[in-house]
Amino acid sequence: MAEIVAARPLLAAERSVYKPAAGADIQHESATRTIRALGQDVMAGIRTPPPPARGLSGTWPYAGTSYLRQWLFSADPLPVSLLSKRGVTRSDAISRMVDRAVTVWPGSAAGEKSTTLAGQIRDASGTRNRRQAIALYRRATATLCDGVAALAGNALWLMKSTRKPEGAPADVTAVLWETLRLLPPAWMLFRRGGGAFAGLHPEIGAQDRVALFPLLMHRHPDYWSDPLEFRPERWAGVADPENTPAFMPFGFDGARCWAKHLIVPLAERLVKVALDSRLVISSPPQEAHIPLRSLLSVRFDAAIGV
């Protein structure tokens, strides 16, 4: 894995959030500005009261995604708030209509509130810059909310069989780090085209796509005791989990998730809300088919307990 990661820089098309948009590459300055804006919005959202807990009922991780979008971005004015609605993002036709509406959006009226991320759309000059700002808004909000909902859902699913009747565990953060080890949402990474990797191994062809699996590395018995066991206590006293050997929950050097500093705090807040609201998880299967997609998220039904 280390050799493949070092063989060449990550291509623009391999970045989920910062791949080209509106016919042009996303410049480093725009990417940096976007992640800073996202950070401000997440920190502001964490400090506000969460939406009604009934929004957590339904099929996960979709219920968690919708709940996070309502929590963090519902204050944005129309049509910007539609960019982060799951019902919109699931339809290419509706997405294009919303994009066109936001492109001509006049901006916030006097006294109208919006997130910092939405402000980047309002302040963008020129059609292409605005279209790129729209793409970054949609990608950043979707990647954040989908990833956090997957992590929180995976943690709730893992805790179901180990949680004591009295409720929430003492250290939710340790639960999340163990979830990132055992069921990491970023469970595999793709590299397109194997030309740079062909010399590393005789079975890698110049046109091959290469898949890397942190999921397997996180379960390697040479690095982990009881690797298939869910043991949050293994993280007790670990000051910097990401420095743990054979543990890369947010990607590899040079290609790490830019929002990694936001993921665990927001997921911790979401898990605590779910536990405090006595979220009841329907018995999900212990074995399930995992589709070859970039995000690993356990599917289950849940409802707020009585």
Side-chain angles (χ1 to χ4, degrees), residues 104-115:
V104 299
W105 171 54
S108 297
E112 191 174 50
K113 294 182 179 180
S114 67
T115 61

Side-chain angles (χ1 to χ4, degrees), residues 14-281:
E14 294 170 339
R15 295 185 178 274
S16 60
V17 178
Y18 302 115
K19 61 186 178 182
D25 289 340
I26 301 295
Q27 299 300 314
H28 185 271
E29 180 183 357
S30 296
T32 302
R33 188 166 57 247
T34 297
I35 199 63
R36 287 176 179 171
L38 186 65
Q40 293 178 41
D41 294 337
V42 169
M43 292 300 104
I46 288 178
R47 291 191 295 267
T48 62
R54 62 178 179 273
L56 294 172
S57 296
T59 301
W60 278 69
Y62 310 119
T65 296
S66 298
Y67 188 85
L68 286 169
R69 286 175 171 171
Q70 180 184 0
W71 193 351
L72 301 176
F73 305 107
S74 63
D76 282 336
L78 287 172
V80 176
S81 62
L82 295 177
L83 292 170
S84 62
K85 297 292 185 182
R86 184 168 177 263
V88 172
T89 58
R90 293 177 67 186
S91 169
D92 291 339
I94 297 177
S95 292
R96 287 193 295 270
M97 292 174 59
V98 172
D99 284 358
R100 286 195 291 268
V102 178
T103 301
V104 299
W105 171 54
S108 297
E112 191 174 50
K113 294 182 179 180
S114 67
T115 61
T116 308
L117 205 56
Q120 293 195 151
I121 301 175
R122 180 192 60 227
D123 298 337
S125 60
T127 300
R128 190 174 72 177
N129 288 339
R130 175 163 280 212
R131 286 176 177 170
Q132 285 203 332
I134 291 169
L136 288 173
Y137 180 100
R138 172 175 279 127
R139 294 171 186 175
T141 56
T143 301
L144 176 77
C145 294
D146 289 348
V148 171
L151 174 57
N154 291 355
L156 291 167
W157 184 79
L158 285 168
M159 281 191 289
K160 184 181 186 298
S161 61
T162 59
R163 197 170 80 222
K164 296 179 180 179
E166 55 265 27
D171 191 349
V172 173
T173 304
V175 166
L176 290 172
W177 285 114
E178 180 67 348
T179 301
L180 284 165
R181 182 192 70 82
L182 197 57
L183 288 178
W187 70 301
M188 67 172 183
L189 303 173
F190 268 126
R191 294 294 184 267
R192 302 179 185 276
F197 317 125
L200 302 180
H201 195 281
E203 293 187 6
I204 303 179
Q207 303 302 318
D208 287 342
R209 292 185 299 170
V210 180
L212 312 175
F213 291 91
L215 175 73
L216 302 182
M217 182 174 65
H218 291 180
R219 298 163 178 241
H220 200 298
D222 288 352
Y223 293 93
W224 305 94
S225 59
D226 300 321
L228 299 184
E229 296 296 323
F230 178 62
R231 292 176 44 199
E233 62 273 12
R234 75 173 78 234
W235 299 101
V238 179
D240 188 359
E242 284 196 87
N243 280 337
T244 302
F247 185 58
M248 292 186 178
F250 297 111
F252 295 84
D253 290 335
R256 289 181 183 266
C257 174
W258 283 30
K260 65 175 186 174
H261 61 291
L262 306 174
I263 302 296
V264 173
L266 187 54
E268 182 176 358
R269 189 86 163 88
L270 181 59
V271 168
K272 287 181 178 179
V273 170
L275 295 177
D276 291 344
S277 303
R278 292 180 294 175
L279 188 74
V280 177
I281 299 175

